[in-house]
Amino acid sequence: DKQTICNICEAGKYQDQDTATAAECKNCTTGLYIDDDGTNEDKHNSANSCKHCPASWEFKSVTEPCKICQGGRYQNDSNSFDLECKKCPANKFIADNSDDVDYHDSFGDCTQCQSGTFSTSGQRFCTNCPAGKKNLKVNGEITECQLCAVGHFARLAGANECLGCGIGQYQSEEGLPYW
C-alpha cells in the first residue's frame, strides 16, 4: 500500500486547488502575508487567506510579515499594498520607535516641532542648529543648518542669524561659535 502525504503550505503561501496537479503552493501577492507556517491548512486554502498588515504596521517579508512603524513614520491604511510606512513631513515627528502601535496609525500622530527646531521628513525628533550655525529657512520653515561664514559667528544654538565680528576683530573660519 502506497500512501500519499500532503504538506500544509508554508508562511506566505496558499493552495486553492485540490487536484493532482497542485504540486506547489502559490505565493501571496507582495505586501500580503500568511503568518501560519504550515500548521493549519485552513489558513492556506485561498488567495483570501493572504492578509494586509494592519494600520501602524509595515510589510517586511512573507516570513516576518509585519513590523510596527519606526519613529517618524505612520501607516493609516490597513488595506494598502504600501510596503513601507509613510514618513511624517519635514518639521513634524513621531518620537516613538516601534514600541506602541497607537503612535503610528494616523497622520495626526506626527507632532509639530517646537519653535526654533526642525526635522527632515521621517525623523524621530526635532533638533536645533548648534552654535556656529544658523537656521536656514525656506518659506518660513527651518529646513537645515547653515555654517556661519568667515567673519561671522552664532553663539547660541538655534540662532536665526550669524552676527558679524566687530570693528577691529576678525574670524577666519566658517562655523565658529565665537569670534
Side-chain angles (χ1 to χ4, degrees):
D1 245 353
K2 191 173 186 180
Q3 188 175 15
T4 303
I5 297 174
C6 296
N7 296 314
I8 298 172
C9 296
E10 60 191 33
K13 298 185 179 215
Y14 68 95
Q15 182 50 262
D16 56 0
Q17 299 174 354
D18 61 359
T19 64
T21 59
E24 293 182 8
C25 293
K26 301 172 184 175
N27 291 322
C28 289
T29 302
T30 300
L32 298 178
Y33 73 96
I34 298 171
D35 57 0
D36 177 80
D37 195 17
T39 59
N40 183 345
E41 63 191 43
D42 292 335
K43 293 188 176 186
H44 300 270
N45 59 13
S46 77
N48 291 334
S49 298
C50 300
K51 305 293 181 206
H52 290 274
C53 291
S56 296
W57 300 75
E58 64 185 344
F59 180 83
K60 288 302 190 184
S61 71
V62 293
T63 55
E64 289 184 50
C66 299
K67 182 178 179 188
I68 297 175
C69 298
Q70 62 185 333
R73 297 170 186 246
Y74 68 96
Q75 180 54 269
N76 58 352
D77 188 353
S78 60
N79 292 314
S80 173
F81 283 94
D82 290 340
L83 303 184
E84 294 183 355
C85 293
K86 299 166 186 166
K87 292 180 178 181
C88 291
N91 296 318
K92 289 186 178 269
F93 70 101
I94 297 175
D96 181 74
N97 195 27
S98 304
D99 296 323
D100 190 334
V101 295
D102 293 334
Y103 291 121
H104 301 275
D105 63 355
S106 75
F107 175 77
D109 292 326
C110 299
T111 303
Q112 184 68 41
C113 292
Q114 291 180 347
S115 179
T117 65
F118 73 99
S119 71
T120 56
S121 178
Q123 295 299 305
R124 257 185 88 202
F125 55 87
C126 297
T127 189
N128 57 15
C129 296
K133 296 182 179 184
K134 71 173 184 172
N135 297 329
L136 181 62
K137 292 184 177 182
V138 175
N139 298 325
E141 295 280 331
I142 302 169
T143 57
E144 63 182 290
C145 298
Q146 183 178 44
L147 289 172
C148 290
V150 170
H152 293 79
F153 64 95
R155 282 191 179 126
L156 303 174
N160 287 318
E161 64 181 324
C162 296
L163 304 173
C165 294
I167 294 174
Q169 300 172 330
Y170 78 99
Q171 183 272 96
S172 59
E173 290 183 49
E174 287 185 325
L176 292 181
Y178 301 100
W179 67 88

